[in-house]
Amino acid sequence: MSFKINLKVNGKEHVLEVPAHERLVDTLRYRLGLTSVKEGCGRGECGTCIVLVNGLPKHSCLTLTATLDGAEVLTLEGLAPEGKLHAIQLAYLETRGVQCGFCTPGFMMMTKALLDTHPEPQQEQVKEWLSSVLCRCGSYHYYFAAAKLAAKYIKEGKIYLDEKQVREKYHMKVIGR
Amino acid sequence: MSKPDYVQIVEEMFAKTKDKPTKDFTYLGKHVVRWDAISKIMGKPLFTADMINLFKNAVFVHSVRSKYAHAKIKKIDYSEALKYPGVLKVITARDIPGINDVGYVLPDQPLLADRKVRFIGDTVALIVAESLENARDAGELVNVDYEPLPVYTDVLQVIELNGLTEKEHVLIHDERGSDVLSRYKIRVGDVEKAFKEASVVVENEYRTPMQEHAYLEPEAAIAIPEPDGSVTIYAKTQCPFDTRRAVSNVLGLPFNMVRVVAPALGGGFGGAEDVGNEIAAKAALAALALKRTAVVLHTREESIIGHTKRHPMVAKYRHAASKDGTLLAVDADIVLDTGAYASLGPFVGWRAVVHSTGPYKVRNARVDLAVVYTNRIPAGAFRGFGNPQVTFAVERQMDLLAEELGMDPVEFRLKNILRNGDRTVHGQLLDHGVGLEDAIKRALEISGWSEKRKLYSTLKGPARRGIGIALMYHGNSIGAEGADFSTVSLIIQRDGSIIFRTGLTDMGQGSLQGLVNIAAEILGVPPSYFKIEPSDTAATPDAGPTVASRSTAMGGNATLVAAYKIRQRLNKLAAEMLGCASPEDVVIEAPKVYCKDQPEHHITWKELIEQTFWKGIPIQEFGYYRAPPAEWHEETGTGQPYFTYTFGAVVSDVEVDIETGLTKVVEATVVYDIGRVVNRTGAEHHGVGGYIQGMGYALMEDTVHSENGHVYSTSFSTYHIPTGLDIPERINVDFVEAGFIRGPFGAKGLGEPSIVAIAPSIVNAIAHAIGSKQANRLLNRIPATPDFVRGVLKRAGLAR
Ligand code: FES
Ligand code: FES
C-alpha cells in the first residue's frame, strides 16, 4: 500500500507517493537526494539521521514518511539559504571539531533544535541535548563549544553568513593560536 | 653504500630545522582548517552509501551468513531463493572466477564459505536482487545443510595459558593442522637469576575485551562494470590498494582491470582495512556477473558481525624488582584471540610482543606469545594494534610493583623509563630524541598529580576519587612486518595551484592536512593553494596501506622529498629571474617571490610557475620514501623492530561510586612525544579522540559472544560507546617535541599511540580511589564495568 502525501522539505513543497513502510531517512536520502542525512544504525541509537520535523528533532530512521502528511522537514541542506552558511555551521568550523564528519549533520540539527528551544543554553543543557548523537572520532567537547558559540552569534544577530566570504577566510587557513 | 637521496633530503631538512621552535613555522604545527571542513559542515562530502543515488538501475547484494559458529557445510540449496520476486542471481563459492580468498596475511579466509563455516558472520552465499529488501528476504530461503562442530569462544579452550601448549580439540583450521596461528618470543638476559635476586616479585593474570571499532559509517561498496570488462569500485576502505589486490585475486583479473576509489570515510580506526576488501569483492562479483552496478550496504548489525575487532588478550605477567625500585625482569605468557581468521593477527601478535615489556629498561625478559584461532568474530587491525592489550597488563604491574615497594607510581616509573642513549629490551639503541621523561613531567604538572594523589588518598565516603598514570611507547610505521614505503605526487598547475595526490586515505583524522602543511611550508605557498584528490588506484600513487600511524611519518617524508625537489628547481629559476646572489637566497612567500636582501623587488608565484612551462622545468614530482630496514631475530626477540617510537604519559582522574561500582572519568591529561607537531588540529583530535575511545575500552566496551558463538552486542544499545555525557569535563592535550632525524621535520606518528595507555591509566586511578591492596590485584581485567568493579569491592570486603 502506498500513500500520497504533501511534504515541505527545506522550504520546498513536494507531493510524494510513498509505500507505507518507507522510512523518512530513505525518502530524504534516496528520493530527494538529501544525503547530509546519514544512517549509522537504523534504530534510533546513533543520532546521525536526526532531522527537524515541524521544528522538533526526530530520528528519521524511526519515522515513517507516510505519517508526515503536511509536515515540514528541515535537513542540514536547508539550514541556510543557497549561498549562505548558518551561524551554527560557522561555529562548528571555528571550533575545529569536525573529523570524519559522519556525525556532524546530526549534531548540527540537534544544535539547531537546542538553540530554538534554549537560545542561551547552560552547559548541562548543551550536553544533554547533544548527547543524543554519537561521535566515535571523539569530537564532543568541540561540538559543545560550537553550540555555545553559535548561541552567541545568533544572539548578536549574525545568523546567515556569506558562504564565499567564509571560504575565503577559512579554507585551509591558520586559525586560533 | 651512499645514502639514497630521499634519506639525505629528510635528514638535511631535520638538521636545518631541529632547533627552530614550532611556533616559528608558518603552517607546520598550526591550527590549519582542514581542507574538507567547509564541505563537511555543509553535509556535502559523499560517503560511499551517499553515491547510490548517482547510479540508475543498480542491483543489491545481500550476504547470507552462517547459522552456526562452527560447522561443516554439506550442501547449499538456493533454488527457493532464486524463485523469490526480484532475485536475479545467487552466487556461491563455485561462481568465483579467481581465488576464493580474502585473507590478509595468510590465505585462510574464503570470501564465500564452501567447506565449513568458522564464525557466525561467515558468508555462505550472496543474493543479488533488484532491491535490498528482496535480497534480504530471499536470504531466508537459502537452505544450508550444516554439520555442527564444537564451538570455541574462549582461547583457553584451545590453548593452555601456562606453557602455551595447544589443547586437544576439534580443529577450526583443520587444513592448517593447528589452531595456533603464530608464536613469538623474547629471550634476553637471565630471567631465572634475576627473579632469584629480586626483593619484590609481582604476578597477576590479565584479560582484555574484544573491542569493536564502531565507526559511525557502516560499510558500503558500489561496483560498476566498465565496457572493457574491468570494474570500478567505490568502497569504504582505508587501504584502496590492498582492496584492489584482494578483488583482483577473487576476480582473477590483473590490477589494471580493477579500480578502487575511497570516497569520504566515516571513521576507520583499522577496522576498514580488511572488511573493505570483502565488501568490494562481493560487489564486484555481482557487478561482473550481472553487468549492472552492484551495491553492498551493511546494517549496523551486519557491520558488527562482519568486520574484524580488537584481539582479546589473556596474559600472565611476572615482574621482578630490586629494593631500590630497579626493574629486574619480566616473565610473561600471552595469548591473543584472533577469532575465526588470521586477518592481521600475525602482525598484531608481533607488535604485541615487541611492546610487551613497556617503555622501560628491561635487561632480563622471557615472553611467549601465541595468536590463536577461536570461533569468535575475527580480530584484526584496531588503533593500537596489539599494544593496548599488553600495555594494560604492564602498566597495571607497574602500579602493583610500586605499591609493593612502597613507592609513588611515578617515582618508580621514573627510575626505569627509557631515555636517550638507553637500549630497548630488544637491544635497540635509542640514539635520538626520547621525550618520555618530559612527557611525564608535563603530564604531572598539568594534572596536578602530587596534590591530588595525596588529597584523594584521604577521602572517605561513597564517592571516592583516584588519580592514575600510565606510560606507553609505540613503534612507528610497519617496521619489520614488511616492506615499508610511501609516496605522494605533487603537480603544480599552470596558474600556480597545486594538485596533491597520495594513495593514503584520510579516515577522518585529517592526516592528509598534515602532509599539505609540510608541502606548503617547504614550497612557501599557503595550504589553500592545494587540492587534495581522493585516494584512487587509477590516479593516486600506491603509497602503501594507511595503517600503523604511518601517514605523518612516512607519507610526510614522501611529501617533504617531493616538495623539496620542486623547491630546488624553483629556487634556481627564481634566482635567475630575480638576479639573486644564490638560489639559497630565494624567498617564496606566495604570491610573492623575491631575493632575501631585496624584499621590495619581487615577482609573483604565478609568473615563476609560468616560466617553468617555457623553460621546460618539471614542476611535478613523485615523492618517495622508504623506511630504513628493520631487523628482527625470531629466536631471541631482539633487533631493531621499528625505526623510532612515539612516547606518551596519560593521567586520569576518576570518581568511583563505592555503592554502585560506577566509574566516571572527571579529568584527563595526555602528553605525547611526537617529535614535531605537524598538524596541530589533527594531533589534538587524536589526543582527545584516542582518549575517549580508550575510555570506552577501559569502562564499557566488549563484543559479547554466547557459548555457541552468537553475538549479543550487535547494536549501540547493547554495545556501548562513550556518549557526550560519559566524557570527562576536560581532556588536556599537550606535546613534547623530541625530534627524530628520520621523520619529516622530526615528526613521529600519533594515530595509534593515542589509545595505548588510556585504559591502564583509568584502572590505575580506580585502584587508587578504592585504596585497597587486595582490590588493586583484582582489578586485572577490562572493561571495568560497574558490576565488575562492584564485584571487586565485594571480594575485597569493601561493599556488601
Ligand atoms: S540511523 Fe537513526 S539513530 Fe542511528
Ligand atoms: S567526526 Fe567522526 S564520528 Fe564524529
Side-chain angles (χ1 to χ4, degrees):
Chain A
M1 202 161 97
S2 67
F3 293 84
K4 199 165 165 186
I5 61 157
N6 289 301
L7 199 64
K8 198 169 178 183
V9 182
N10 297 335
K12 225 166 101 191
E13 297 281 1
H14 295 271
V15 182
L16 302 171
E17 175 101 29
V18 293
H21 62 267
E22 183 168 310
R23 307 173 307 162
L24 180 59
V25 63
D26 294 323
T27 310
L28 295 173
R29 283 174 58 78
Y30 299 120
R31 233 178 245 275
L32 304 178
L34 299 168
T35 50
S36 80
V37 186
K38 304 295 181 202
E39 179 169 350
C41 71
R43 41 185 284 168
E45 292 164 354
C46 71
T48 56
C49 68
I50 287 176
V51 297
L52 304 194
V53 176
N54 296 330
L56 291 175
K58 270 230 169 348
H59 293 113
S60 62
C61 69
L62 296 182
T63 308
L64 294 179
T65 311
T67 63
L68 296 183
D69 189 22
E72 264 188 56
V73 175
L74 186 73
T75 72
L76 179 54
E77 286 89 345
L79 199 54
E82 189 68 34
K84 301 270 181 209
L85 285 177
H86 192 276
I88 294 176
Q89 291 170 302
L90 181 69
Y92 270 74
L93 185 66
E94 288 182 339
T95 46
R96 307 186 296 251
V98 178
Q99 298 191 51
C100 79
F102 197 80
C103 66
T104 324
F107 271 103
M108 288 202 282
M109 296 320 287
M110 210 57 211
T111 305
K112 164 88 170 123
L114 163 71
L115 299 182
D116 286 348
T117 335
H118 306 285
E120 288 175 62
Q122 299 299 308
Q123 175 73 2
E124 281 314 305
Q125 286 168 321
V126 171
K127 270 169 88 171
E128 216 167 283
W129 281 67
L130 296 195
S131 292
S132 41
V133 191
L134 297 175
C135 174
R136 187 54 153 173
C137 300
S139 286
Y140 298 120
H141 292 100
Y142 301 88
Y143 292 165
F144 295 166
K148 289 215 160 156
L149 184 60
K152 178 173 160 270
Y153 285 156
I154 293 170
K155 195 173 167 211
E156 293 166 0
K158 282 198 264 176
I159 299 176
Y160 298 119
L161 305 117
D162 187 62
E163 183 192 328
K164 212 169 138 226
Q165 277 173 13
V166 170
R167 278 187 192 279
E168 267 159 28
K169 183 161 173 215
Y170 290 101
H171 179 66
M172 283 210 239
K173 295 283 166 60
V174 175
I175 62 166
R177 55 166 187 99
Chain B
M1 213 177 72
S2 68
K3 279 183 200 166
D5 66 340
Y6 54 85
V7 172
Q8 267 172 37
I9 291 170
V10 169
E11 292 184 358
E12 181 193 321
M13 286 308 281
F14 176 73
K16 260 200 223 154
T17 57
K18 71 173 191 296
D19 298 322
K20 184 168 168 174
T22 302
K23 66 173 176 23
D24 293 352
F25 286 94
T26 318
Y27 308 111
L28 220 62
K30 299 290 178 296
H31 286 116
V32 176
V33 176
R34 53 187 290 165
W35 82 100
D36 53 1
I38 295 177
S39 54
K40 278 178 176 168
I41 54 160
M42 296 178 76
K44 288 221 170 124
L46 294 180
F47 296 83
T48 306
D50 300 337
M51 301 202 299
I52 297 174
N53 277 7
L54 308 177
F55 302 100
K56 287 260 167 339
N57 199 28
V59 296
F60 292 82
V61 186
H62 171 67
S63 303
V64 180
R65 309 216 180 231
S66 174
K67 284 212 166 55
Y68 294 91
H70 194 193
K72 279 190 190 145
I73 299 175
K74 300 214 296 220
K75 204 171 130 230
I76 302 178
D77 174 10
Y78 53 80
S79 49
E80 287 300 307
L82 264 184
K83 289 184 216 145
Y84 194 81
V87 171
L88 300 163
K89 193 173 172 61
V90 178
I91 298 174
T92 62
R94 264 180 293 169
D95 304 305
I96 292 178
I99 297 165
N100 182 18
D101 183 77
V102 283
Y104 201 95
V105 179
L106 300 170
D108 71 340
Q109 183 173 4
L111 177 68
L112 300 175
D114 49 354
R115 206 172 54 78
K116 71 188 292 196
V117 287
R118 298 180 177 88
F119 80 112
I120 210 71
D122 246 333
T123 306
V124 289
L126 300 175
I127 311 258
V128 190
E130 295 285 354
S131 80
L132 201 48
E133 264 180 348
N134 291 152
R136 283 180 185 149
D137 291 348
E140 304 290 322
L141 302 174
V142 173
N143 290 310
V144 185
D145 201 354
Y146 291 106
E147 182 188 318
L149 297 169
V151 173
Y152 306 102
T153 54
D154 186 330
V155 267
L156 298 189
Q157 292 170 309
V158 178
I159 196 166
E160 203 77 59
L161 183 56
N162 284 322
L164 303 185
T165 45
E166 191 168 357
K167 289 183 181 172
E168 195 68 47
H169 71 289
V170 177
L171 285 177
I172 299 164
H173 284 274
D174 44 331
E175 81 287 2
R176 294 173 49 88
S178 162
D179 282 334
V180 177
L181 169 62
S182 50
R183 291 179 187 273
Y184 304 92
K185 59 184 160 201
I186 295 181
R187 296 279 183 277
V188 294
D190 189 340
V191 176
E192 235 168 84
K193 184 161 160 266
F195 271 94
K196 263 191 217 123
E197 287 166 5
S199 25
V200 174
V201 172
V202 163
E203 176 179 331
N204 216 355
E205 230 178 88
Y206 296 92
R207 272 188 185 251
T208 64
M210 178 176 257
Q211 191 181 18
E212 147 71 16
H213 303 78
Y215 35 66
L216 286 189
E217 180 209 7
E219 296 83 11
I222 302 173
I224 305 141
E226 301 288 355
D228 60 357
S230 69
V231 61
T232 298
I233 306 160
Y234 294 88
K236 178 184 176 103
T237 169
Q238 55 185 89
C239 309
F241 287 86
D242 287 343
T243 297
R244 182 183 66 175
R245 175 180 46 74
V247 176
S248 297
N249 214 21
V250 169
L251 297 179
L253 288 175
F255 285 179
N256 65 0
M257 296 292 274
V258 177
R259 174 180 170 210
V260 178
V261 186
L265 273 162
F269 315 113
E273 202 167 344
D274 40 13
V275 72
N277 303 358
E278 189 187 315
I279 52 170
K282 286 174 175 173
L285 270 176
L288 291 189
L290 286 138
K291 306 274 179 297
R292 282 169 69 179
T293 297
V295 175
V296 169
L297 191 59
H298 280 182
T299 60
R300 178 57 52 184
E301 287 74 9
E302 276 182 285
S303 168
I304 291 182
I305 286 179
H307 77 252
T308 56
K309 305 279 177 281
R310 185 187 302 291
H311 287 74
M313 175 195 77
V314 185
K316 190 162 163 184
Y317 267 81
R318 274 201 319 145
H319 274 77
S322 64
K323 212 188 227 101
D324 69 345
T326 309
L327 206 52
L328 295 178
V330 181
D331 178 86
D333 288 301
I334 305 167
V335 182
L336 291 181
D337 177 356
T338 197
Y341 296 105
S343 176
L344 284 107
F347 293 167
V348 173
W350 182 69
R351 190 177 276 274
V353 90
V354 168
H355 293 89
S356 62
T357 57
Y360 302 100
K361 278 176 283 187
V362 174
R363 290 187 198 83
N364 305 292
R366 178 202 67 90
V367 181
D368 281 291
L369 183 145
V371 186
V372 175
Y373 289 114
T374 63
N375 296 113
R376 291 214 253 183
I377 300 175
F382 195 150
R383 193 187 218 170
F385 213 75
N387 197 357
Q389 292 92 318
V390 292
T391 298
F392 172 67
V394 169
E395 289 300 303
R396 285 267 52 227
Q397 286 283 100
M398 292 300 116
D399 263 34
L400 296 183
L401 278 169
E403 185 184 67
E404 285 295 324
L405 289 158
M407 287 170 86
D408 180 82
V410 173
E411 191 193 335
F412 173 69
R413 283 179 173 82
L414 280 173
K415 233 184 141 72
N416 294 293
I417 53 164
L418 291 169
R419 292 179 173 82
N420 195 342
D422 287 336
R423 285 186 187 273
T424 64
V425 66
H426 334 95
Q428 179 174 2
L429 179 68
L430 298 174
D431 56 358
H432 55 272
V434 175
L436 185 54
E437 183 168 1
D438 287 344
I440 298 172
K441 291 197 167 142
R442 211 172 289 175
L444 296 184
E445 197 184 301
I446 299 173
S447 63
W449 168 271
S450 315
E451 305 87 74
K452 283 181 179 165
R453 186 87 189 170
K454 265 189 233 118
L455 174 69
Y456 293 171
S457 307
T458 64
L459 296 181
K460 293 276 168 293
R464 303 276 173 87
R465 292 283 289 261
I467 188 164
I469 191 169
L471 310 182
M472 55 77 52
Y473 77 150
H474 194 84
N476 273 218
S477 204
I478 299 175
E481 281 165 35
D484 200 351
F485 72 93
S486 200
T487 61
V488 304
S489 108
L490 277 178
I491 311 167
I492 304 186
Q493 304 299 300
R494 191 129 175 216
D495 64 352
S497 65
I498 306 169
I499 291 177
F500 179 88
R501 290 189 171 142
T502 177
L504 297 168
T505 50
D506 197 310
M507 290 162 255
Q509 76 280 49
S511 55
L512 300 188
Q513 185 65 52
L515 307 194
V516 166
N517 293 357
I518 289 172
E521 192 74 45
I522 295 176
L523 290 171
V525 302
S528 56
Y529 280 35
F530 290 77
K531 161 89 164 47
I532 299 178
E533 294 291 343
S535 186
D536 173 346
T537 58
T540 52
D542 186 347
T546 309
V547 298
S549 314
R550 59 194 290 283
S551 295
T552 302
M554 296 292 296
N557 275 340
T559 308
L560 183 149
V561 169
Y564 178 95
K565 289 184 174 171
I566 296 178
R567 177 71 201 249
Q568 294 293 91
R569 299 197 284 266
L570 290 177
N571 274 7
K572 199 156 159 263
L573 176 63
E576 276 167 31
M577 289 170 74
L578 287 154
C580 307
S582 133
E584 298 284 285
D585 290 349
V586 172
V587 178
I588 303 183
E589 261 170 26
K592 283 188 196 157
V593 179
Y594 55 89
C595 308
K596 197 161 66 188
D597 42 11
Q598 272 187 295
E600 61 295 342
H601 170 58
H602 72 261
I603 55 170
T604 65
W605 166 256
K606 210 169 152 183
E607 283 163 356
L608 175 62
I609 295 305
E610 183 66 17
Q611 269 309 300
T612 64
F613 281 89
W614 300 115
K615 295 250 160 94
I617 295 167
I619 44 167
Q620 316 196 339
E621 193 61 66
F622 173 73
Y624 173 89
Y625 186 81
R626 176 164 183 187
E631 156 197 342
W632 185 247
H633 309 294
E634 291 270 333
E635 287 309 303
T636 51
T638 54
Q640 313 256 342
Y642 296 99
F643 54 84
T644 190
Y645 300 82
T646 297
F647 297 89
V650 177
V651 173
S652 293
D653 187 337
V654 306
E655 187 173 292
V656 181
D657 183 335
I658 299 285
E659 268 149 25
T660 59
L662 183 77
T663 302
K664 177 129 182 80
V665 181
V666 184
E667 191 180 335
T669 302
V670 297
V671 182
Y672 293 106
D673 165 22
I674 52 172
R676 171 78 82 183
V677 182
V678 162
N679 168 11
R680 191 165 297 273
T681 316
E684 288 175 0
H685 281 159
H686 271 314
V688 171
Y691 190 92
I692 294 175
Q693 204 169 46
M695 189 186 108
Y697 187 49
L699 297 175
M700 56 188 87
E701 299 184 27
D702 194 3
T703 311
V704 184
H705 288 63
S706 73
E707 247 167 58
N708 57 10
H710 286 266
V711 182
Y712 286 130
S713 35
T714 55
S715 69
F716 288 132
S717 56
T718 45
Y719 188 92
H720 297 251
I721 65 171
T723 72
L725 287 175
D726 302 310
I727 58 170
E729 201 58 52
R730 254 203 324 276
I731 300 176
N732 313 304
V733 183
D734 203 359
F735 302 104
V736 167
E737 299 177 277
F740 165 57
I741 182 168
R742 286 191 179 130
F745 295 97
K748 306 188 277 200
L750 181 59
E752 300 195 283
S754 64
I755 200 170
V756 172
I758 310 304
S761 78
I762 291 174
V763 178
N764 286 344
I766 297 177
H768 181 226
I770 295 177
S772 135
K773 197 163 169 179
Q774 194 187 351
N776 205 357
R777 269 145 199 75
L778 294 171
L779 288 165
N780 57 359
R781 60 161 68 193
I782 44 173
T785 52
D787 53 326
F788 172 69
V789 174
R790 233 189 96 69
V792 168
L793 286 162
K794 269 197 211 160
R795 278 192 283 162
L798 296 165
R800 270 181 296 140

